[in-house]
Each structure stands twice: as structure tokens, then as C-alpha cells.
């Protein structure tokens, strides 16, 4: 199997950057890179990890992560279950 390309993820505003594999949830790649992101359930239900996507695209492999359609439209993501489809810039949710 080919090694999939890595995407770069930047956490705004502090600027922490790490590489993320398209085959892992963003949170998992952050942990592997030693970057701490808030999390709890890690299955897309508790919303502890909620962030806002400032740029880039993500995809989910579960039917319905704990986000409303409106929140998704507004750019909120759940990094514990979101897989990167491009380089990303992520901001805190508030
Ligand atoms: S850690 Fe619970 S939704 Fe992401």
C-alpha cells in the first residue's frame, strides 16, 4: 500500500503545526505529533473537541457526528472523527 500524502494542520492563533495523515482523525495525528487538543469521548458525541475550520476540508466516516447541519455549514468540526482532505487551519470554537 502506498504511503498516503500527509497534510499540514495549523492551530490558530498560536500557530502550532503538525502533519496529519488522511487515514487518521485529526485528533489522532495531533496526539502522535505530541500536540495537545481537548478531547474526551473520541467518537464524535461529546463535543469536547469542537473547533472551527478556518480553511481546508474534512470528511467524516461516521453517519452523523454530533454537529447540526447548521454548525457544519458554519465550519465547526469535531477533530476526533474528522479526517483531513487538504491542508487545514483550525481555530478554537468560540
Ligand atoms: S472528543 Fe468527543 S466529540 Fe470529539
Amino acid at each position: 500500500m502506498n504511503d498516503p500524502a500527509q497534510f499540514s494542520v495549523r492551530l490558530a492563533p498560536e500557530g502550532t503545526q503538525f502533519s496529519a495523515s488522511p487515514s487518521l482523525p485529526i485528533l489522532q495525528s495531533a496526539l502522535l505529533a505530541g500536540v495537545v487538543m481537548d478531547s474526551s469521548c473520541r467518537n464524535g458525541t461529546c463535543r469536547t473537541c469542537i473547533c472551527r475550520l478556518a480553511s481546508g476540508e474534512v470528511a467524516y466516516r461516521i453517519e452523523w457526528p454530533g454537529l447540526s447541519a447548521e454548525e457544519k455549514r458554519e465550519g465547526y468540526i469535531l477533530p476526533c472523527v474528522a479526517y483531513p482532505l487538504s491542508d487545514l487551519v483550525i481555530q478554537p470554537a468560540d
Side-chain angles (χ1 to χ4, degrees), residues 27 38-50 66 77-81:
L27 180 75
D38 284 346
S39 69
S40 178
C41 71
R42 300 193 184 175
N43 64 18
T45 53
C46 75
R47 297 164 57 98
T48 302
C49 66
I50 195 166
I77 60 165
L78 295 175
C80 68
V81 285

Side-chain angles (χ1 to χ4, degrees), residues 61-80:
R61 295 183 184 177
I62 56 174
E63 265 315 291
W64 195 245
L67 291 170
S68 68
E70 187 173 29
E71 286 171 325
K72 280 192 187 172
R73 264 200 309 278
E74 287 173 0
Y76 289 100
I77 60 165
L78 295 175
C80 68

